[in-house]
Amino acid sequence: MSTAVVEPSPSVADSRPIDRSAHEIIASARSRQTHQPARAPMRPALGLSLLSALLMWASFAPVNWSPLAWLAPIPVFLLIRVRTPTRRMYLAAYFGGIAFHLPALQWMRLGDPTMYIAWWALSAYVAGYFPLQLWLSRVAVYRWSMPLVVAAPMVWVGLEFAKAHLLTGFAWYFLGHTQYRWLELIQISDVFGAYGVSGVMAASAAAIASLVPQSWFATLRLLPPPTDPSAPADPLTRLAEGVTPSRRWPAFAATLLVAATLVYGFVRRGEADFTPGPRVALIQGNFVASLRIPQEDFGLQYNTHMRLTAIAVREQPDLIVWPESMFRWPLTSAPAGLTEDELQKLAPRVPPDFWRDPSVRETLVQEAQKTGAAMIYGLECVDLQKDGRIRQANSAVLIRPETGFSARYDKMHLVPFGEYLPFKETLPWLQKFTPYPPDFGLHAGTKATVFEHRQWRMQPVICFEDTVPHLVRHLVSTGSRDHADIDLLVNLSNDGWFHGSSGLDQHLITSAFRAVECRTPLVRAVNTGISAFIDGDGAILEPEKFIDGDKQGRTSPRDAKTGRWHKQLNAAQILTIPLDPRRSLYVAYGDWFALGCLGLTIFSGLTGFGRRTQFT
C-alpha cells in the first residue's frame, strides 16, 4: 500500500520549530558578527585620557599652572564626539583618573604609614568619576541629542556635587578651584557656589572640543575602520551630530558665558564696601603631627604658642586664634552633683579627679586675661554622660577676658579614618588596617555655635570643614538670624600631618571659595601653615604685621622671589579684618544649580541602562 506524502501548508510550516544544524548556527553567528560595528583601538583613548590627567595635575598645586585647566577636559571631551567608542574606552578613562589622582593626592601618605592604604583607596574611588563623566555625557549627547557644550558641563557639575556628598564627601580638586587667583571669574560663586566656576570652564572646554577638525579624529586613530575596506572613510557619520565644526554656535555661546561671568565679577567687586572689623592675630606653631605625641612635648608646644602670642599682643589684637588641637590638655566635664563614688561607677577606668580638675579651664581664662583679647583655642573636649558614656570631641572654645569661658563648638564633619572609623559596627575587621585602638573615635557636633565678642559674630570651622561648601553655607545660614549676619569665619586647622606638601596649598585654595560663596571673610590659624586672611572676594591678603618666630628674616607669609607660601615655620600674623556687607544668594538658596545638574545627570544616566547601542 502506498503512502501519500502531504506537504504542510505554508502557514503551518512557518509555525513549526526549525531544526538547525551546527553549521547553520555557526554561519548565523558569523553573519551577526560581521554586522557588529568595528572599533578603534584602546591606545588613542588611553593617550587622550592621560593627557587630560597631566594637564589637570599641572593646573593644581604644586605646579599651579592654572590656565592649563581650561584645556584639561578637552582630550576626554573629544572621546564624547566619537560616535562609536574605542575598545576599552571607559577603562582608558579610568586609567586617566588614576594618573591624575595618585600624584595629586600623594600628600595623604605622609600622615602615617597606614595612610598609604587610604591614599590608594581614595584615588581608586575618585578616579571612577572620569569614565562616569565620559559615559554620562555620551548618553546625554546621543540618547537625548543634547549639545556637547550643554551635556559636558552639566555632567561635570553634577558629578562634582555628588563627589562632595557621597561617602562623607570629598570636595577637593574641583576644576574651578584652579582659578582662585582670577578673582573676577570666581565671583559667581556667591550665586552658584564653586560649581559655577567649574561649569563655565567645562562649557568652554566643550566648545573648543566641538571645533576640533574632523581630520584630527582619523589622525588620532579614534575612528573605527570602515566595514568595507574599499569604501572611503566617512568621518562625519562617526562623529556626534550637532557638535561638528560646521556649527560654530557653541564657541560663541561659551565666549558669551565667560564674558558674562567676568562682567558679573567686575560689578560685584565694585560693589564691595569693606569696613574695618576686629583686629585678629593668627598664631602658627611648627609641629609635625603624629598619632602618638609624647606628653613631654605638650609643654614645648604650649610654650611656643604662648611666646608667639606674647609678641602678637604688642599689636593690640581684639582676637587671638590658635590652631586646631594645639592646646594639648583636654577640657573635661561631668554631670554636676555626682560624688566621687558615683563618678567611679560611671567611668571605672578614669580617676574621678580627672573630671573635676579645674586647671585647664583656669589656664585658658588666665591667658585671655593677660592678653586683654578674646582667644579661640583648638583642643579636645571630653564629657562624661549621665549613662556612663564618654564623649570626645574636636572642639574650639572662645575665652573672653571679661567673662571667661564663653562658647564651645564641636566639629560636625569628622574625617573618616582620621577621627572616626566608618562602618565600625558592620565591618569590624577594618580595625586591623588602622593604627587605632578599638575604642578610637571622636563624636561629631550636632549644631552651629556662633562666637560673639563685642559687636562681632564669628563662626568657627575646624580642620577640613572649610573645604565642605554645603556645611559652611549651612553654618553661615543658620548663624545669621534677626538680620545679624556672621561677620567672620574662623578656621582652626592642623596640617602638620602633611609635612609641608602641596596638600597645604590646596587646603588654603579650596577654603578661599568659602569666603566668596558666603560673602564672609575667613581667617585660618594652621599648625605648620598655611595661615591666612581671606576677604569676601576670595583674595588672600598680606598681613599688616608678620612675625617670624624662627628669626629667619622673613617679613611675609610668601617668598619674595618665588611667590610661594612659606610652610613649616613658627609665625604670627596680624590684620584688621575687612568686613563684607554684601549678601549671598548662595547662602540664601544653597546648591540649587549643582543639585539641578545632578538631577538631570541622574535622569539621563538612567536611560543609559536601556538597550545596548553602538555609542555606549
Side-chain angles (χ1 to χ4, degrees):
M1 182 176 71
S2 63
T3 304
V5 178
V6 180
E7 295 289 339
S9 65
S11 60
V12 175
D14 290 344
S15 63
R16 293 174 58 186
I18 300 174
D19 293 332
R20 301 172 64 189
S21 67
H23 292 290
E24 290 175 324
I25 294 174
I26 294 174
S28 175
R30 287 176 176 174
S31 176
R32 287 196 302 269
Q33 186 176 8
T34 59
H35 289 85
Q36 292 293 327
R39 296 179 184 268
M42 174 186 177
R43 186 176 300 175
L46 179 60
L48 288 176
S49 299
L50 294 179
L51 178 58
S52 272
L54 176 62
L55 293 173
M56 285 282 285
W57 175 80
S59 303
F60 290 97
V63 180
N64 244 343
W65 290 351
S66 55
L68 294 179
W70 293 84
L71 306 176
I74 295 175
V76 170
F77 287 177
L78 291 179
L79 297 178
I80 302 173
R81 283 189 58 188
V82 180
R83 180 177 291 274
T84 302
T86 71
R87 296 184 183 277
R88 300 182 181 87
M89 184 171 70
Y90 299 107
L91 180 61
Y94 183 75
F95 285 153
I98 288 288
F100 165 59
H101 287 101
L102 270 180
L105 296 175
Q106 58 81 28
W107 48 268
M108 290 182 58
R109 64 187 169 84
L110 301 174
D112 187 82
T114 58
M115 288 300 292
Y116 276 84
I117 300 175
W119 167 38
W120 279 83
L122 181 60
S123 298
Y125 159 63
V126 290
Y129 286 88
F130 270 51
L132 198 57
Q133 167 75 37
L134 178 58
W135 178 71
L136 289 169
S137 297
R138 290 177 61 83
V139 171
V141 168
Y142 293 101
R143 185 67 60 85
W144 293 102
S145 300
M146 191 177 294
L148 179 63
V149 75
V150 175
M154 177 193 75
V155 174
W156 194 289
V157 170
L159 292 182
E160 282 192 347
F161 183 75
K163 187 173 68 169
H165 288 77
L166 294 178
L167 302 179
T168 76
F170 184 68
W172 289 57
Y173 294 96
F174 286 1
L175 186 63
H177 291 166
T178 60
Q179 305 304 303
Y180 72 98
R181 288 172 291 195
W182 196 351
L183 297 182
E184 286 74 23
L185 183 76
I186 69 174
Q187 298 309 304
I188 61 168
S189 299
D190 72 347
V191 180
F192 307 103
Y195 305 104
V197 184
S198 296
V200 170
M201 297 177 67
S204 300
I208 297 173
S210 299
L211 296 177
V212 170
Q214 299 170 14
S215 59
W216 287 26
F217 290 85
T219 302
L220 294 173
R221 299 180 62 197
L222 290 171
L223 301 181
T227 305
D228 182 1
S230 62
D234 185 9
L236 181 59
T237 62
R238 297 184 177 92
L239 299 180
E241 296 177 359
V243 295
T244 57
S246 60
R247 302 186 65 175
R248 308 281 182 178
W249 71 264
F252 292 112
T255 301
L256 289 175
L257 180 61
V258 174
T261 301
L262 293 175
V263 169
Y264 178 83
F266 277 106
V267 171
R268 285 297 271 167
R269 293 201 71 193
E271 294 174 345
D273 185 18
F274 298 138
T275 58
R279 188 166 175 80
V280 177
L282 305 178
I283 309 302
Q284 173 185 308
N286 180 26
F287 297 95
V288 174
S290 172
L291 293 175
R292 298 171 183 84
I293 299 176
Q295 194 161 2
E296 53 267 25
D297 288 353
F298 289 10
L300 174 62
Q301 296 184 12
Y302 174 76
N303 291 332
T304 299
H305 284 81
M306 283 307 307
R307 175 175 61 86
L308 293 169
T309 299
I311 300 173
V313 165
R314 301 171 190 171
E315 302 297 324
Q316 298 181 323
D318 300 300
L319 175 69
I320 300 173
V321 186
W322 282 26
E324 172 193 16
S325 70
M326 283 297 104
F327 190 93
R328 285 296 178 185
W329 295 273
L331 180 65
T332 61
S333 70
L338 296 181
T339 65
E340 288 193 1
D341 290 340
E342 291 171 327
L343 289 173
Q344 191 68 59
K345 290 180 180 179
L346 283 177
R349 294 185 298 172
V350 182
D353 291 343
F354 176 79
W355 305 111
R356 301 301 189 202
D357 185 3
S359 60
V360 169
R361 188 178 295 262
E362 291 174 352
T363 298
L364 296 175
V365 174
Q366 289 172 2
E367 297 304 337
Q369 291 173 341
K370 289 179 183 178
T371 63
M375 297 190 68
I376 297 180
Y377 295 95
L379 77 173
E380 179 185 7
C381 289
V382 183
D383 305 309
L384 178 62
Q385 308 291 310
K386 291 182 179 180
D387 58 3
R389 290 182 297 175
I390 296 177
R391 184 180 186 278
Q392 298 173 273
N394 184 355
S395 306
V397 296
L398 171 67
I399 312 295
R400 295 190 297 197
E402 306 87 2
T403 58
F405 191 95
S406 300
R408 165 182 160 184
Y409 168 74
D410 294 343
K411 185 180 180 186
M412 298 173 64
H413 189 86
L414 300 181
V415 177
F417 298 103
E419 293 175 315
Y420 78 102
L421 297 181
F423 317 114
K424 182 178 179 179
E425 302 298 329
T426 56
L427 301 174
W429 52 269
L430 287 175
Q431 178 74 41
K432 300 177 181 179
F433 297 95
T434 73
Y436 306 118
D439 59 350
F440 168 80
L442 298 177
H443 294 77
T446 57
K447 62 180 181 179
T449 304
V450 178
F451 288 2
E452 298 189 23
H453 177 55
R454 299 177 186 169
Q455 70 270 33
W456 304 300
R457 307 182 74 246
M458 301 164 287
Q459 175 61 58
V461 288
I462 300 175
C463 191
F464 288 167
E465 285 187 325
D466 63 347
T467 69
V468 185
H470 49 278
L471 172 66
V472 176
R473 179 253 165 194
H474 167 74
L475 293 174
V476 172
S477 177
T478 56
S480 300
R481 63 181 187 276
D482 300 328
H483 303 288
D485 293 335
I486 298 297
D487 296 302
L488 182 64
L489 289 165
V490 181
N491 176 239
L492 298 76
S493 287
N494 181 3
D495 284 353
W497 298 96
F498 308 118
H499 305 264
S501 66
S502 60
L504 279 64
D505 302 76
Q506 201 57 46
H507 189 183
L508 170 60
I509 291 167
T510 306
S511 69
F513 283 82
R514 307 294 84 80
V516 187
E517 290 167 348
C518 300
R519 290 299 177 194
T520 305
L522 183 149
V523 301
R524 307 181 69 241
V526 186
N527 175 42
T528 75
I530 305 167
S531 301
F533 303 96
I534 307 170
D535 70 15
D537 282 337
I540 301 171
L541 306 175
E542 187 73 15
E544 297 168 5
K545 180 70 175 181
F546 181 83
I547 299 168
D548 185 353
D550 298 324
K551 298 181 180 180
Q552 298 295 317
R554 291 171 287 222
T555 59
S556 168
R558 291 177 182 264
D559 186 289
K561 295 181 179 179
T562 65
R564 295 182 179 274
W565 287 291
H566 293 302
K567 305 170 190 174
Q568 293 188 290
L569 72 158
N570 296 295
Q573 305 181 42
I574 299 93
L575 181 71
T576 300
I577 303 302
L579 299 182
D580 194 336
R582 293 172 293 179
R583 296 297 180 92
S584 163
L585 291 176
Y586 180 75
V587 171
Y589 299 106
D591 289 306
W592 61 273
F593 170 68
L595 187 59
C597 288
L598 177 62
L600 292 173
T601 298
I602 292 175
F603 173 78
S604 176
L606 290 176
T607 67
F609 290 103
R611 61 185 180 84
R612 184 178 177 86
T613 60
Q614 67 173 11
F615 47 81
T616 60

